[in-house]
Amino acid sequence: MAVGSSTSVNRGIPDDIDLRRVPSHVACVMDGNGRWAQARGLARSKGHQAGEQALIDVVEAALDIQVKWLTIYVLSTENWRRPTSELQFLLNNVKRVLLHWRDKLHDRGVRIQFIGRRDRRVPAHLGELMDEVVALTEDNRNMTLTAAFNYGGRAEIVDAVRKIVASGMPVEQVTEKAIASHLYDPDMPDPDLIIRTAGEYRTSNFLLWRSAYSEFYFTETPWPDFRRRHFFEAVSVYQKRVRRFGGIPRSPEVRA
């Protein structure tokens, strides 16, 4: 389904999805692109390219059930260790996807932003395009799509601590709230649900501070095959869980 199309209101939302209890923030570790391609005798770059439709399907699905925040893991600080040819394709692919989809996402009221380090490894032309996309969509309110690019959870915490030290904050004022307020996006809520594809069961340095009480959903489906039905399945599983946050619910029916 293309972004910006006009279709029926339901758009295939399963009956077991409670639209009153949709997670406010869903994050995705989009894993398995390279393995998907290699299993088909293709170059790893073909897997990254194939993951584009999965991304658009997930964005559409999230919009349809009114998820307010969607965060995707695009490039980690560790991914720079990959072969130069693959990295070059990844960077070019990010640019191509942004150019192709920015106006369509803008029309759907999606605010696009980026978190991560903007260092010398990020090409200047790509950084400029990112800034243009942020400026174009900054007033949109239907959903915030955050791309974690050149991002690492540990790096985010280190950068937050550096800001605190540089500010001269007294040690007794360094609290969890203070650290959270110095993360890359202080306004971002903690993710309610984190989805990881391709059968891996680890966080891979993603949103380490914010995921303390996130619900995780793991699937064997590689990212290029992930579609809106898979996204809805993850949300359905999430809605069946009881979120205690270290406490005890008042009754078995109390769910977050």
Side-chain angles (χ1 to χ4, degrees):
M1 193 71 67
V3 173
S5 61
S6 58
T7 57
S8 63
V9 174
N10 182 275
R11 291 173 60 90
I13 300 171
D15 293 337
D16 66 341
I17 297 291
D18 185 348
L19 296 178
R20 299 166 300 178
R21 295 173 43 248
V22 170
S24 175
H25 183 184
V26 179
C28 298
V29 181
M30 308 180 294
D31 200 14
N33 295 324
R35 281 170 285 154
W36 179 92
Q38 289 175 325
R40 289 160 176 76
L42 304 172
R44 288 176 58 87
S45 59
K46 294 297 183 181
H48 297 301
Q49 195 170 28
E52 179 181 346
Q53 187 56 53
L55 172 59
I56 298 308
D57 264 26
V58 166
V59 170
E60 282 282 8
L63 282 167
D64 287 345
I65 61 174
Q66 298 183 35
V67 170
K68 302 305 294 182
W69 292 76
L70 179 67
T71 300
I72 55 174
Y73 207 0
V74 176
L75 185 75
S76 76
T77 51
E78 290 76 30
N79 285 156
W80 297 105
R81 302 169 186 166
R82 295 188 177 188
T84 302
S85 58
E86 182 174 352
L87 282 170
Q88 190 59 54
F89 179 87
L90 282 168
L91 295 174
N92 289 336
N93 196 52
V94 169
K95 181 177 182 179
R96 183 186 62 79
V97 170
L98 285 175
L99 288 171
H100 184 76
W101 290 105
R102 62 178 176 181
D103 292 332
K104 298 178 178 67
L105 292 171
H106 178 48
D107 290 343
R108 288 297 305 273
V110 176
R111 179 169 72 111
I112 303 172
Q113 64 175 12
F114 301 87
I115 57 173
R117 288 178 170 173
R118 187 72 69 84
D119 57 31
R120 59 179 178 77
R121 295 178 296 187
V122 179
H125 63 86
L126 182 55
E128 291 170 2
L129 177 59
M130 290 176 174
D131 291 340
E132 291 174 9
V133 171
V134 169
L136 173 68
T137 64
E138 63 182 349
D139 294 327
N140 295 336
R141 291 295 178 264
N142 286 347
M143 184 176 75
T144 297
L145 174 62
T146 303
F149 182 86
N150 193 21
Y151 173 88
R154 289 179 174 177
E156 181 176 27
I157 296 170
V158 167
D159 289 347
V161 172
R162 286 175 175 171
K163 291 176 188 175
I164 290 172
V165 172
S167 73
M169 182 182 293
V171 65
E172 63 273 10
Q173 293 181 17
V174 179
T175 62
E176 290 185 13
K177 185 176 181 180
I179 293 174
S181 70
H182 286 82
L183 296 177
Y184 291 142
D185 179 9
D187 296 325
M188 175 190 286
D190 293 347
D192 302 294
L193 171 65
I194 297 179
I195 300 169
R196 178 157 191 161
T197 58
E200 300 292 350
Y201 296 83
R202 58 180 179 272
T203 61
S204 292
N205 202 16
F206 185 50
L207 300 178
L208 293 184
W209 181 273
R210 296 194 177 280
S211 63
Y213 278 100
S214 300
E215 296 292 328
F216 282 81
Y217 176 85
F218 299 101
T219 175
E220 296 293 324
T221 304
W223 182 253
D225 290 334
F226 198 83
R227 293 294 182 268
R228 60 189 291 118
R229 70 179 185 276
H230 299 103
F231 181 81
F232 289 144
E233 180 182 349
V235 172
S236 178
V237 169
Y238 163 84
Q239 290 186 337
K240 293 178 174 65
R241 297 181 183 174
V242 178
R243 304 186 72 195
R244 297 178 177 84
F245 298 97
I248 299 174
R250 291 189 298 273
S251 72
E253 289 75 29
V254 176
R255 300 176 186 269

